[in-house]
Amino acid sequence: MFSSHGPSVRELAVQGLSSVERGYDLLAPKFDHTPFRTPDRMLDAVEETLAQHEGTFGAGLDVCCGTGAGLGMLRRLCRDRITGVDLSAGMLAEAARTHTGDDRVDFVRADARALPSDLAGSYDLAVSFGAFGHFLPSERPALFSGVRSALREGGVFAFPIGAPIPPSSPVWWAVAGFDAAMRVRNAVWRPPFVMYYRTFPLSGVRADLRAAGFSVETVPLEHFGRQAGGAPRWRLVLARRIRK
């Protein structure tokens, strides 16, 4: 599952018993050698779909940017300022090392549920990859409102979302087991480490985005094919800031 350059089982255990922030600070130097990094195939699919559907953008924001996997995509799609935001100083340090030399790129250490006010109205495109499991459903309104405030009117918040996994799939049971284990861990251990795989359904996400002041559409990511019934395996959510 992990390369020889990735974290050991012991390192993962220490991370899992830490807070989210501290856990990612510890994992940061080896994060890109784990399956948790967003695959290039996904980044390429989102970039291609955005370019075809929307064209290019002015300024771009990567929410929960981690080690900066999505920033290369933003550098190609956006003409102006590019900002990576993350809670973990360790992850931001890795991202800064990867993307050094481009004076358009800057980094902000912040909680995505409370983005700094000086980012307000600064961006035309916001993206996020692989981070939504760290937010409980009750926290989505604050998250989406913060992203909306960072966007200019008409700006787009884009992110991929997978189709529901059927209970007949072994993956469903693996994911359900992981979420159950995390709930037990957080019930008996402090600080909590919030990471769940089944708390971000499209129906609830769409409703919360609309309540936050977005119009919402989805575009199939055809790169990943379709299910037996014809539904896409992955969609790209395009949430556009509108006047409330």
Side-chain angles (χ1 to χ4, degrees):
M1 184 176 184
F2 299 97
S3 76
S4 59
H5 301 289
S8 65
V9 173
R10 179 184 181 280
E11 288 172 324
L12 286 174
V14 171
Q15 181 218 6
L17 293 175
S18 305
S19 67
V20 174
E21 178 183 352
R22 177 59 177 159
Y24 278 105
D25 283 347
L26 294 170
L27 185 59
K30 298 181 178 181
F31 182 82
D32 285 350
H33 300 286
T34 73
F36 307 130
R37 180 191 183 275
T38 303
D40 288 337
R41 183 185 178 202
M42 176 61 75
L43 296 170
D44 292 344
V46 170
E47 179 179 352
E48 182 179 330
T49 304
L50 275 172
Q52 291 175 348
H53 198 272
E54 299 286 333
T56 59
F57 299 85
L61 176 68
D62 190 345
V63 182
C64 304
C65 68
T67 55
L71 292 174
M73 180 192 75
L74 288 181
R75 289 167 72 176
R76 292 184 292 273
L77 284 173
C78 299
R79 302 179 299 274
D80 303 323
R81 175 189 183 188
I82 297 160
T83 301
V85 173
D86 203 277
L87 181 63
S88 165
M91 298 290 269
L92 288 175
E94 293 298 319
R97 274 192 283 272
T98 301
H99 295 280
T100 188
D102 189 338
D103 58 9
R104 293 187 302 149
V105 180
D106 63 271
F107 297 94
V108 175
R109 182 173 176 267
D111 189 326
R113 297 165 296 185
L115 293 177
S117 59
D118 59 356
L119 299 184
S122 300
Y123 301 94
D124 304 285
L125 171 65
V127 298
S128 193
F129 296 94
F132 294 128
H134 294 302
F135 301 97
L136 297 172
S138 61
E139 297 172 321
R140 286 200 303 257
L143 172 66
F144 293 162
S145 293
V147 174
R148 182 186 183 276
S149 70
L151 289 169
R152 300 184 177 106
E153 189 170 342
V156 174
F157 180 27
F159 53 87
I161 191 166
I165 304 169
S168 58
S169 168
V171 176
W172 188 94
W173 292 98
V175 168
F178 178 90
D179 283 4
M182 289 302 296
R183 292 186 186 283
V184 171
R185 178 256 186 243
N186 289 332
V188 301
W189 190 268
R190 292 291 183 273
F193 190 95
V194 176
M195 179 62 215
Y196 301 107
Y197 283 103
R198 298 190 305 150
T199 57
F200 203 74
L202 179 56
S203 58
V205 169
R206 182 187 284 115
D208 287 342
L209 284 167
R210 288 173 173 164
F214 290 94
S215 64
V216 184
E217 64 176 306
T218 64
V219 180
L221 290 173
E222 298 290 5
H223 309 68
F224 300 98
R226 291 179 175 261
Q227 299 175 305
R233 297 184 186 279
W234 283 89
R235 303 172 188 263
L236 182 64
V237 175
L238 299 174
R240 194 177 306 274
R241 175 176 173 160
I242 57 176
R243 289 182 182 271
K244 278 193 172 183

